[in-house]
Amino acid sequence: MTLLVLALWTGTIWVLTGLADWLAAQVATGEAANLADIIAQWPVPPELAPWIGEAFLLPLRDLFAWTVGVLESLLPFLPGLVGILSVILWIVWFIVTGLIVVLALLGHWALSKAQRLRTNLRTT
């Protein structure tokens, strides 16, 4: 279970880092204005339509459009910020991964103590 959580956490950070790099490239090439228009018209993917409605997708579109707007305002500083953002994301990954491992070890320790206690109670 711990390995699954760590794999999902690592994948999330990897995707966020790639997304930050991609958005920076879009803003740097001047495609950000077009990107905001494209994002505003994203349809619900047919595979997700039964589970995700327009009401759920609308705030996500607004969030992505807002993010592109913020990136446009940071255009002169963007190359340095993306590098820092990637480093910060991986530092956060390291800290959270350490916490996940420590919690897993504590859980295993607590379960082994509980099992020994149960065994001792049965024998007495």
Side-chain angles (χ1 to χ4, degrees), residues 46-84:
E47 299 83 16
L48 299 178
W51 296 281
I52 298 177
E54 276 296 317
F56 178 77
L57 195 57
L58 186 61
L60 290 177
R61 286 183 198 150
D62 292 342
L63 176 66
F64 286 143
W66 176 81
T67 303
V68 169
V70 169
L71 289 175
E72 281 181 324
S73 67
L74 297 173
L75 187 59
F77 310 105
L78 202 56
L81 288 177
V82 170
I84 291 171

Side-chain angles (χ1 to χ4, degrees), residues 19-41:
L19 182 62
D21 291 340
W22 178 76
L23 281 174
Q26 293 298 315
V27 171
T29 60
E31 294 292 322
N34 296 340
L35 187 61
D37 293 337
I38 292 169
I39 290 171
Q41 297 177 10

Side-chain angles (χ1 to χ4, degrees), residues 64-116:
F64 286 143
W66 176 81
T67 303
V68 169
V70 169
L71 289 175
E72 281 181 324
S73 67
L74 297 173
L75 187 59
F77 310 105
L78 202 56
L81 288 177
V82 170
I84 291 171
L85 180 62
S86 294
V87 170
I88 289 172
L89 283 171
W90 287 112
I91 289 172
V92 168
W93 172 86
F94 179 76
I95 292 168
V96 172
T97 299
L99 289 173
I100 290 170
V101 169
V102 167
L103 288 175
L105 292 173
L106 285 174
H108 283 284
W109 176 80
L111 285 174
S112 70
K113 287 290 187 183
Q115 188 176 17
R116 277 191 221 143

